[in-house]
Amino acid sequence: MSFVNDGQNTILGWSGYSFGSSYRTAVQIGDCWRVPIIRPYFALHCQLRHSPRRRTAPAMRSVYLLLVLLFTVFSAEALADRRIALVIGNSAYQKVRRLPNSTNDASDMALKLKGLGFEVVSGSDLEFATMRGAVRNFIQKLNTADIALFYYSGHGLQVDGINYMVPVDAHLASYDDLDFEVLSMDLVVAAMERNSKVSLVFLDACRDNPFARNLAQSMGTRSASVGEGLAKLGGGVGSLIAFATQPGNVAFDGVGRNSPFTTALLRHLGTPGQDVTRDLIYARRDVLEATHGKQVPWDNSSLTGEVVLNPGVAPEPKSESPATNTPAKAETAVEIAYWETIKDSGNKNFFQAYLERYPNGAFAALAKLKIEVLDEEKRRLQGETQATSSDKPIGRRDDEGYRDLALSTQRELSRVGCLAGQIDGKWGLASKKALQDFARLRGINLASAEPSADVLKRLQEIRDTICPLSCPDGTEARGGRCRSTVGGFDGMWALTRRATNPSCGWPELTSNIWIADGQIHSPSWEGNVAPNGVSTIILRFVHKGRNERNILYVKLRGNKGAGKFYHVGGECAGVVELRKL
């Protein structure tokens, strides 16, 4: 910077820039003019109207004050954090009913975040390929991000504890479609935690989901692995993950332009001078009120400090004086700290104590709901205990002859393949069910499900297996026993990756991997093979000094296999072929 004083004019400038001699477009500031040079820099031309000796010192002081002000502004701009956001909203699903407001939620949230200084990567009604492209574009921008934010509105589902975003072209007719039709939310969250200082995730994706019901029906006995709502996401240090409702529950779509959760976020997120965790408390209150306590937003936080999205000064409530406001803030901080220590507890006494201390607290509705959940769990366990106790012999079962009859009947039921439980002479629920299955398959009308001499005689006359052997997942019936099917994939496999775009820098690569007991045992490769041959394989490697990885989704059938792969955080992608050696 330089000062030039020729006795009549004082000019303030930045070195490295030349000023023109014309000031016709200058803006006058007192005795000085703001002269544009190269945005955002400018020169100040100050006219000294009177004697230089008397006016130079005051003019220089004015220029100095302006210099301090400008330096402060430019320094603040230079030190501002870099914010990147990914916003996705899917409404127009092709195979199920349209969601009424997800695209509205996403577009309104994108505008909100742009106003808070975020660079936004957004998309609406995305098919699988375009959704994956948006995620990739977002991940590529994360390297220099201070705050990364991910917002998703649309259908989501959890399978085996993994959360998935559902593109609008998904069908999900079977379990195998998961690897090729939906995107894991963990992919986005892991990239955020790896590349940014602060990660904020907002998921309005816990709606009543026909995809989950269809998938559960197709999976049969494995349908229990498909859960309602979303599962908890494991956040690393510096992360906050907010759900529209508590994990495992279903959120409402709402009747207005936006869902209840997004409506509350739009109202409170970025409140001037307020920490984002406090924003979520007010948002939670709004959702509880809008849904009459039926929907409770939930969050997991590992933030290590306050995250204020809008550093403006928060307006003080007019009804509170400074003397009363400080104790109120302290009490609120104590309440939040107390809630954080008990929110994951399984003892309802903690939540009753909270309600006694804070009957109208920010988490009062949550505490009441938690007590209801714990009471329901207790009733369920008591019911299971009663069912277990009913498995004990009743009536004449103290009679030794009755016990011998029950023991002989159990042996015969096991021989014909209808009883898989313990043979101990105790006639319980498992024995009753086995006898009923036998009678149904043989067309016999039973007077009761108790053992009898007539039933035992009928069983002894049977020489073949009557009941088909029911084997758990990962096994199959062979030789009258349930045997593992995973071992059928054991051995050495040749795995070939063929690139489908030039970003890989190579057309084809082949590696050998060893599979034993359903697990991959090869350097740099890891993964498991399910009994149906489906596998997610990870290849880790170092490229240009950076740790990189490929993710492969494959399906093995007999001695061959096929699938797809992509490079995490890059453009390289292609197809996979496997051949057993």
Side-chain angles (χ1 to χ4, degrees), residues 206-217:
C206 312
R207 294 165 165 83
D208 184 28
N209 195 337
F211 287 108
R213 292 194 297 272
N214 295 343
L215 188 62
Q217 290 173 1

Side-chain angles (χ1 to χ4, degrees), residues 93 123 144 153 157 222 240 265 273 313 326 352 402 429 451 453 506 512 528 531 535 558:
Y93 284 92
T144 58
S153 178
L157 73 158
R222 293 177 294 160
L240 182 146
L265 286 180
V313 178
T326 299
Q352 290 173 335
Y402 182 89
L429 292 177
W506 43 265
N512 290 339
N528 297 302
S535 176

Side-chain angles (χ1 to χ4, degrees), residues 387-388 390-392 397 426-434 436:
T388 302
S390 67
D391 204 32
K392 296 179 180 179
R397 299 182 183 184
K426 297 178 181 179
W427 197 259
L429 292 177
S431 299
K432 289 180 180 179
K433 184 180 183 303
Q436 289 169 343

Side-chain angles (χ1 to χ4, degrees), residues 28-49:
Q28 185 173 357
I29 308 175
D31 290 338
C32 301
W33 284 263
R34 179 182 183 274
V35 184
I37 307 167
I38 299 178
R39 186 180 181 184
Y41 302 104
F42 54 85
L44 289 177
H45 177 274
C46 299
Q47 177 71 38
L48 305 183
R49 296 180 178 176

Side-chain angles (χ1 to χ4, degrees), residues 20 106 245 258 336 366 424 495 515 574:
T245 189
N258 303 111
I336 294 174
L366 281 175
D424 54 8
L495 186 153
I515 300 177

